Amino acid sequence: MGKSVPKHVAIMMDGNGRWGKQRGLTRSEGHYAGAKTMEKIIDASIDLGVEVLTLYAFSSENWSRPMEEVNYLMHLPVKFFKQKLPEFQRRNIVVRISGNLEALPTRTKTALKNAVNETADNTGLIVNFAFNYGGRDDILQAVRHIVKELQDEKMDLTQLNEQVLQQCLYTKELPDPELVIRTGGEKRMSNFLLWQSSSAELYFTDVFFPDFDGPLLEKAVRFYQEKNSELIV
Ligand code: FPP
């Protein structure tokens, strides 16, 4: 792409339900279409040279959706990785998960953990699924970890700084996102990567996620590049 590409792109994949409704389909069918789009966005990210792609696949707030929809969203990773894991391997993709896995049904948890373990030695694009993720929960679990370290006298309060907290987040080892995209027309953060997005460029599009594609991702990256053009040499 020539100019500098954001290392880490994070996407709030919004608009699946409305996309389905518009076509007389169910919300779950909208999510299925969203999962298909996810595959295209992964391909486009590899082509663009993005290093980390975070996809907001299930938020800690999504539990309040109708039970049928929640069940479907819990089933999707099982179906997705059963089909796609061999291709992920061929394409050298690394799977990561950010979020509280413990609260998930066993089948979902197993599919996600298995994808992480199986791809751990790969060295290509990191696809980080934010699953049962909430930005506040992320910070809270980091604080809990730090307080425990302090109580156990494994750390001294004077050692606590932003870097230490950053290393306790679900996204530890990943760079902060430089570009955060939200599809579906809303302009809110919805509890997504609150700590990590402090300096990110935010890009909003009215396009529903199932209609998002490679050229639209490129458009968002160009927006980022224009915003950061003074940094490009
Ligand atoms: C938001 O749209 C989207 C979600 C809650 C789920 C997104 C999940 C996927 C695209 C697939 C995940 C797959 C794997 C394998 C992890 P919405 O339902 O809020 O849309 P609306 O705003 O139109 O109601």
Side-chain angles (χ1 to χ4, degrees):
M1 213 189 188
K3 289 179 177 179
S4 78
V5 168
K7 275 197 172 83
H8 184 172
V9 176
I11 307 183
M12 287 181 250
M13 307 185 286
D14 198 19
N16 293 342
R18 281 168 286 160
W19 183 94
K21 200 171 168 206
Q22 241 181 18
R23 284 160 181 77
L25 304 170
T26 62
R27 296 183 55 81
S28 293
E29 284 169 311
H31 294 311
Y32 179 75
K36 289 277 149 207
T37 297
M38 239 170 43
E39 296 173 26
K40 287 194 222 160
I41 297 306
I42 290 169
D43 289 346
S45 300
I46 294 173
D47 292 345
L48 284 168
V50 168
E51 292 175 22
V52 183
L53 174 68
T54 293
L55 298 166
Y56 204 6
F58 191 88
S59 79
S60 46
E61 284 71 35
N62 286 155
W63 292 108
S64 62
R65 301 249 169 140
M67 196 172 74
E68 193 188 328
E69 187 178 347
V70 170
N71 286 343
Y72 186 75
L73 287 167
M74 290 298 141
H75 171 65
L76 254 184
V78 180
K79 188 180 163 92
F80 181 83
F81 286 117
K82 199 171 166 196
Q83 280 177 7
K84 300 300 288 183
L85 202 52
E87 189 185 323
F88 271 37
Q89 294 293 30
R90 272 199 308 280
R91 305 198 70 190
N92 198 21
I93 293 170
V94 181
V95 176
R96 294 277 181 85
I97 310 294
S98 294
N100 178 5
L101 292 191
E102 294 319 308
L104 300 178
T106 309
R107 275 177 347 122
T108 314
K109 192 169 30 182
T110 306
L112 292 170
K113 284 189 173 173
N114 180 54
V116 171
N117 293 337
E118 294 283 316
T119 61
D121 293 333
N122 292 347
T123 54
L125 174 72
I126 297 173
V127 181
N128 176 40
F129 291 92
F131 206 95
N132 197 17
Y133 179 86
R136 288 185 170 186
D137 173 56
D138 196 358
I139 295 167
L140 187 60
Q141 63 82 34
V143 170
R144 281 204 183 102
H145 179 82
I146 290 166
V147 169
K148 179 90 175 53
E149 296 269 294
L150 291 169
Q151 277 174 344
D152 294 348
E153 296 181 359
K154 289 185 184 156
M155 195 205 300
D156 186 274
L157 194 52
T158 56
Q159 292 171 287
L160 181 57
N161 57 30
E162 289 188 8
Q163 246 167 338
V164 170
L165 195 139
Q166 195 267 336
Q167 280 308 310
C168 298
L169 295 171
Y170 289 127
T171 51
K172 57 175 167 272
E173 296 153 11
L174 299 179
D176 284 342
E178 290 157 314
L179 173 62
V180 174
I181 298 170
R182 180 170 187 148
T183 62
E186 305 288 346
K187 296 191 172 78
R188 285 178 280 119
M189 284 308 286
S190 295
N191 208 9
F192 187 45
L193 301 177
L194 298 180
W195 174 283
Q196 297 87 336
S197 298
S198 68
S199 311
E201 294 294 346
L202 307 179
Y203 181 84
F204 300 100
T205 169
D206 289 340
V207 172
F208 292 150
F209 186 70
D211 290 329
F212 199 62
D213 60 11
L216 290 172
L217 177 66
E218 240 178 85
K219 191 172 164 192
V221 167
R222 272 200 299 278
F223 161 85
Y224 165 86
Q225 290 175 328
E226 277 156 26
K227 288 277 182 186
N228 292 273
S229 54
E230 68 278 12
L231 302 176
I232 297 162
V233 280

